[in-house]
Coordinates of all heavy atoms in Angstrom, one line a residue:
N115 N -3.2 40.8 -97.9 CA -3.4 40.8 -96.5 C -2.2 40.7 -95.7 O -2.2 40.6 -94.5 CB -4.4 39.7 -96.2 CG -3.9 38.3 -96.5 OD1 -2.7 38.1 -96.7 ND2 -4.8 37.3 -96.7
R116 N -1.0 40.8 -96.3 CA 0.2 40.8 -95.6 C 0.5 42.2 -95.0 O 0.4 43.2 -95.7 CB 1.4 40.4 -96.5 CG 1.2 39.1 -97.3 CD 1.2 37.9 -96.3 NE 1.4 36.7 -96.9 CZ 0.3 35.8 -97.2 NH1 -0.9 36.1 -96.8 NH2 0.5 34.7 -97.8
P117 N 1.1 42.2 -93.8 CA 1.4 43.5 -93.2 C 2.5 44.3 -93.9 O 2.5 45.5 -93.9 CB 1.8 43.1 -91.7 CG 2.1 41.7 -91.8 CD 1.3 41.1 -92.9
E118 N 3.4 43.5 -94.5 CA 4.5 44.2 -95.2 C 3.9 45.0 -96.4 O 4.4 46.1 -96.8 CB 5.4 43.1 -95.8 CG 6.2 42.4 -94.8 CD 5.5 41.1 -94.3 OE1 4.3 40.9 -94.7 OE2 6.1 40.3 -93.6
T119 N 2.9 44.5 -97.1 CA 2.2 45.3 -98.2 C 1.5 46.5 -97.6 O 1.6 47.6 -98.2 CB 1.2 44.4 -98.9 OG1 1.8 43.3 -99.5 CG2 0.5 45.2 -99.9
T120 N 0.8 46.3 -96.5 CA 0.1 47.5 -95.9 C 1.1 48.6 -95.5 O 0.8 49.7 -95.8 CB -0.7 47.0 -94.7 OG1 -1.6 45.9 -95.1 CG2 -1.5 48.1 -94.0
E121 N 2.2 48.2 -94.9 CA 3.2 49.1 -94.5 C 3.8 49.9 -95.7 O 3.9 51.1 -95.7 CB 4.2 48.5 -93.7 CG 5.4 49.4 -93.2 CD 6.5 48.7 -92.5 OE1 6.3 47.4 -92.1 OE2 7.5 49.2 -92.3
A122 N 4.1 49.1 -96.7 CA 4.7 49.8 -97.9 C 3.7 50.7 -98.6 O 4.0 51.8 -99.0 CB 5.2 48.7 -98.9
K123 N 2.5 50.3 -98.7 CA 1.5 51.0 -99.4 C 1.2 52.4 -98.7 O 0.9 53.4 -99.3 CB 0.2 50.2 -99.6 CG -0.9 50.7 -100.5 CD -0.4 50.5 -102.0 CE -1.6 50.6 -103.0 NZ -2.7 51.5 -102.7
A124 N 1.3 52.3 -97.4 CA 1.0 53.5 -96.6 C 2.0 54.6 -96.9 O 1.8 55.8 -96.5 CB 1.0 53.2 -95.1
T125 N 3.2 54.3 -97.4 CA 4.2 55.3 -97.7 C 4.0 56.0 -99.0 O 4.6 57.0 -99.3 CB 5.6 54.7 -97.7 OG1 5.7 53.9 -98.8 CG2 5.9 53.9 -96.4
L126 N 3.0 55.6 -99.8 CA 2.8 56.2 -101.1 C 1.7 57.3 -101.0 O 0.7 57.1 -100.4 CB 2.3 55.1 -102.1 CG 3.2 53.9 -102.3 CD1 2.7 53.0 -103.3 CD2 4.6 54.4 -102.7
T127 N 2.0 58.4 -101.5 CA 1.1 59.5 -101.4 C 0.5 60.1 -102.7 O -0.6 60.4 -102.9 CB 1.8 60.7 -100.7 OG1 2.9 61.1 -101.4 CG2 2.1 60.3 -99.3
G128 N 1.4 60.0 -103.8 CA 1.0 60.5 -105.1 C 0.0 59.5 -105.8 O 0.1 58.4 -105.5
E129 N -0.7 60.1 -106.8 CA -1.7 59.2 -107.5 C -1.0 58.0 -108.2 O -1.6 57.0 -108.3 CB -2.4 60.0 -108.5 CG -3.4 59.3 -109.4 CD -4.1 60.2 -110.4 OE1 -3.7 61.4 -110.5 OE2 -5.0 59.7 -111.1
H130 N 0.2 58.3 -108.7 CA 0.9 57.2 -109.5 C 2.2 56.8 -108.8 O 3.2 56.4 -109.5 CB 1.1 57.7 -110.9 CG -0.2 57.9 -111.7 ND1 -1.0 56.8 -111.9 CD2 -0.7 59.0 -112.2 CE1 -2.1 57.3 -112.6 NE2 -1.9 58.6 -112.8
D131 N 2.3 56.9 -107.5 CA 3.6 56.5 -106.8 C 3.7 55.0 -106.8 O 2.7 54.3 -106.8 CB 3.6 57.1 -105.4 CG 3.9 58.5 -105.3 OD1 4.1 59.1 -106.4 OD2 4.0 59.0 -104.1
Y132 N 4.9 54.6 -106.8 CA 5.2 53.1 -106.6 C 6.4 52.9 -105.7 O 7.2 53.8 -105.4 CB 5.4 52.4 -107.9 CG 6.7 52.8 -108.7 CD1 7.9 52.3 -108.3 CD2 6.7 53.7 -109.7 CE1 9.1 52.6 -109.0 CE2 7.8 54.1 -110.4 CZ 9.1 53.5 -110.0 OH 10.2 53.9 -110.6
L133 N 6.5 51.7 -105.2 CA 7.6 51.2 -104.4 C 7.9 49.8 -104.5 O 7.0 49.0 -104.6 CB 7.2 51.6 -102.9 CG 8.1 50.9 -101.8 CD1 9.5 51.6 -101.8 CD2 7.5 51.1 -100.4
V134 N 9.2 49.6 -104.6 CA 9.7 48.2 -104.6 C 10.6 48.0 -103.4 O 11.5 48.8 -103.2 CB 10.5 47.8 -105.9 CG1 11.1 46.4 -105.8 CG2 9.7 48.0 -107.2
R135 N 10.2 47.1 -102.5 CA 11.0 47.0 -101.2 C 11.4 45.5 -101.1 O 10.6 44.6 -101.2 CB 10.2 47.4 -100.0 CG 10.9 47.1 -98.7 CD 10.1 47.7 -97.6 NE 10.0 49.1 -97.5 CZ 9.0 49.8 -96.8 NH1 8.2 49.2 -96.1 NH2 9.1 51.1 -96.9
I136 N 12.8 45.3 -101.0 CA 13.4 44.0 -100.9 C 13.9 43.9 -99.5 O 14.8 44.6 -99.1 CB 14.4 43.7 -101.9 CG1 13.9 43.9 -103.3 CG2 15.0 42.3 -101.7 CD1 15.0 44.0 -104.4
A137 N 13.2 43.1 -98.6 CA 13.5 43.0 -97.2 C 13.1 41.7 -96.6 O 12.1 41.2 -96.9 CB 13.0 44.2 -96.4
G138 N 14.0 41.2 -95.8 CA 13.7 39.8 -95.1 C 13.5 38.8 -96.2 O 14.3 38.6 -97.0
H139 N 12.3 38.1 -96.1 CA 12.0 37.0 -97.1 C 11.0 37.5 -98.1 O 10.4 36.7 -98.8 CB 11.4 35.8 -96.4 CG 12.4 35.1 -95.5 ND1 12.0 34.1 -94.7 CD2 13.7 35.3 -95.4 CE1 13.1 33.7 -94.0 NE2 14.1 34.3 -94.4
K140 N 10.9 38.8 -98.3 CA 9.8 39.4 -99.1 C 10.4 40.3 -100.2 O 11.3 41.1 -100.0 CB 8.9 40.1 -98.3 CG 8.1 39.3 -97.2 CD 7.1 38.4 -97.8 CE 6.2 37.8 -96.7 NZ 6.9 36.7 -95.9
V141 N 9.7 40.3 -101.3 CA 9.8 41.4 -102.3 C 8.4 42.0 -102.4 O 7.5 41.3 -102.9 CB 10.2 40.9 -103.7 CG1 10.3 42.0 -104.8 CG2 11.6 40.1 -103.6
I142 N 8.4 43.2 -102.0 CA 7.0 43.9 -102.0 C 7.0 44.9 -103.1 O 7.8 45.8 -103.2 CB 6.9 44.6 -100.6 CG1 7.0 43.7 -99.4 CG2 5.5 45.3 -100.6 CD1 8.3 43.8 -98.7
I143 N 6.0 44.8 -103.9 CA 5.9 45.6 -105.1 C 4.5 46.3 -105.0 O 3.4 45.5 -105.2 CB 6.1 44.9 -106.4 CG1 7.4 44.2 -106.4 CG2 6.0 45.8 -107.6 CD1 7.7 43.4 -107.7
V144 N 4.4 47.6 -104.8 CA 3.1 48.2 -104.7 C 3.1 49.5 -105.5 O 4.1 50.1 -105.8 CB 2.7 48.6 -103.2 CG1 2.5 47.3 -102.4 CG2 3.9 49.4 -102.6
G145 N 1.8 49.9 -105.9 CA 1.7 51.1 -106.6 C 0.3 51.7 -106.4 O -0.7 50.9 -106.1
N146 N 0.1 53.0 -106.5 CA -1.2 53.6 -106.3 C -2.1 53.6 -107.6 O -3.2 54.1 -107.6 CB -1.0 55.0 -105.9 CG -0.8 55.1 -104.4 OD1 -1.0 54.1 -103.6 ND2 -0.5 56.3 -103.8
S147 N -1.6 53.0 -108.6 CA -2.4 52.8 -109.9 C -1.9 51.6 -110.6 O -0.8 51.1 -110.4 CB -2.3 54.1 -110.8 OG -1.0 54.2 -111.3
D148 N -2.6 51.1 -111.5 CA -2.2 50.0 -112.4 C -0.9 50.3 -113.1 O 0.0 49.5 -113.2 CB -3.3 49.6 -113.4 CG -4.4 48.7 -112.8 OD1 -4.4 48.6 -111.5 OD2 -5.2 48.2 -113.5
Q149 N -0.9 51.6 -113.6 CA 0.3 51.9 -114.4 C 1.6 52.0 -113.4 O 2.7 51.6 -113.9 CB 0.1 53.3 -115.0 CG -1.0 53.4 -116.0 CD -2.3 53.9 -115.5 OE1 -2.6 53.6 -114.3 NE2 -3.1 54.7 -116.2
A150 N 1.3 52.5 -112.3 CA 2.4 52.6 -111.3 C 2.9 51.2 -110.9 O 4.1 51.0 -110.8 CB 2.1 53.4 -110.1
L151 N 2.0 50.3 -110.7 CA 2.4 48.9 -110.3 C 3.2 48.2 -111.5 O 4.1 47.6 -111.2 CB 1.1 48.1 -109.9 CG 1.4 46.7 -109.4 CD1 2.2 46.7 -108.2 CD2 0.0 46.0 -109.2
Q152 N 2.6 48.4 -112.6 CA 3.4 47.8 -113.8 C 4.8 48.4 -113.9 O 5.8 47.6 -114.2 CB 2.6 48.0 -115.1 CG 3.2 47.4 -116.3 CD 3.0 45.9 -116.3 OE1 2.0 45.3 -116.6 NE2 4.1 45.2 -116.0
T153 N 4.9 49.7 -113.7 CA 6.2 50.3 -113.8 C 7.1 49.8 -112.7 O 8.3 49.6 -112.9 CB 6.0 51.8 -113.6 OG1 5.2 52.4 -114.6 CG2 7.3 52.5 -113.7
A154 N 6.6 49.6 -111.5 CA 7.4 49.0 -110.4 C 7.9 47.6 -110.8 O 9.1 47.3 -110.4 CB 6.6 49.0 -109.1
I155 N 7.1 46.8 -111.3 CA 7.5 45.5 -111.7 C 8.6 45.6 -112.8 O 9.6 44.9 -112.7 CB 6.3 44.7 -112.3 CG1 5.3 44.4 -111.1 CG2 6.7 43.3 -112.9 CD1 4.0 43.7 -111.6
Y156 N 8.4 46.4 -113.8 CA 9.5 46.6 -114.8 C 10.8 47.0 -114.1 O 11.9 46.6 -114.5 CB 9.1 47.7 -115.8 CG 8.1 47.3 -116.8 CD1 7.2 48.3 -117.3 CD2 7.9 46.0 -117.2 CE1 6.3 48.0 -118.3 CE2 7.0 45.7 -118.1 CZ 6.1 46.6 -118.7 OH 5.2 46.3 -119.6
R157 N 10.7 47.9 -113.1 CA 11.9 48.4 -112.5 C 12.6 47.3 -111.7 O 13.8 47.2 -111.7 CB 11.6 49.6 -111.6 CG 12.9 50.3 -111.1 CD 12.6 51.7 -110.5 NE 13.9 52.2 -110.0 CZ 13.9 53.4 -109.4 NH1 12.9 54.1 -109.1 NH2 15.2 53.8 -109.0
F158 N 11.8 46.5 -111.0 CA 12.4 45.4 -110.2 C 13.1 44.5 -111.2 O 14.3 44.0 -110.8 CB 11.2 44.7 -109.5 CG 11.7 43.3 -108.9 CD1 12.6 43.3 -107.9 CD2 11.2 42.2 -109.5 CE1 13.0 42.0 -107.4 CE2 11.6 41.0 -109.0 CZ 12.5 40.9 -107.9
L159 N 12.5 44.1 -112.3 CA 13.1 43.2 -113.2 C 14.4 43.7 -113.8 O 15.4 43.0 -113.9 CB 12.1 42.8 -114.3 CG 11.0 41.9 -113.9 CD1 9.9 41.8 -115.1 CD2 11.5 40.5 -113.6
D160 N 14.3 45.0 -114.1 CA 15.5 45.7 -114.7 C 16.7 45.8 -113.7 O 17.8 45.3 -114.0 CB 15.1 47.1 -115.2 CG 16.3 47.8 -115.9 OD1 17.2 47.1 -116.2 OD2 16.1 49.0 -116.2
E161 N 16.4 46.4 -112.5 CA 17.5 46.8 -111.6 C 17.9 45.6 -110.8 O 19.1 45.5 -110.5 CB 17.1 47.9 -110.7 CG 16.9 49.2 -111.6 CD 17.0 50.4 -110.7 OE1 17.5 50.4 -109.6 OE2 16.6 51.5 -111.2
A162 N 17.0 44.7 -110.4 CA 17.4 43.6 -109.5 C 17.7 42.3 -110.3 O 18.5 41.5 -109.8 CB 16.3 43.3 -108.5
C163 N 17.1 42.1 -111.5 CA 17.2 40.9 -112.2 C 17.9 41.0 -113.5 O 18.1 40.0 -114.2 CB 15.9 40.2 -112.4 SG 15.0 39.9 -110.8
D164 N 18.2 42.2 -113.9 CA 18.9 42.5 -115.2 C 18.0 41.9 -116.4 O 18.5 41.3 -117.3 CB 20.3 41.9 -115.2 CG 21.2 42.5 -116.3 OD1 20.8 43.6 -116.8 OD2 22.2 41.9 -116.6
Y165 N 16.7 42.3 -116.3 CA 15.8 41.9 -117.4 C 15.0 43.1 -117.8 O 14.4 43.8 -117.1 CB 14.9 40.8 -116.8 CG 13.8 40.4 -117.8 CD1 13.9 39.2 -118.5 CD2 12.6 41.1 -118.0 CE1 12.9 38.8 -119.5 CE2 11.6 40.7 -118.8 CZ 11.7 39.6 -119.6 OH 10.8 39.1 -120.5
R166 N 15.0 43.3 -119.1 CA 14.3 44.4 -119.7 C 13.2 43.9 -120.7 O 12.1 44.5 -120.8 CB 15.2 45.4 -120.4 CG 16.0 46.2 -119.4 CD 17.3 46.7 -119.9 NE 18.2 45.6 -120.2 CZ 18.9 44.9 -119.2 NH1 18.8 45.3 -118.0 NH2 19.7 43.9 -119.5

Side-chain angles (χ1 to χ4, degrees):
N115 58 24
R116 303 294 193 259
E118 294 89 349
T119 297
T120 304
E121 180 184 345
K123 193 74 163 30
T125 69
L126 304 181
T127 56
E129 180 183 1
H130 295 296
D131 282 2
Y132 69 78
L133 167 65
V134 178
R135 177 176 290 164
I136 303 169
H139 292 174
K140 301 283 189 288
V141 177
I142 304 105
I143 305 177
V144 292
N146 274 350
S147 66
D148 280 9
Q149 298 96 325
L151 182 59
Q152 183 71 77
T153 300
I155 293 172
Y156 284 153
R157 188 167 181 186
F158 167 70
L159 287 171
D160 183 12
E161 297 202 12
C163 304
D164 200 15
Y165 175 98
R166 286 151 296 281

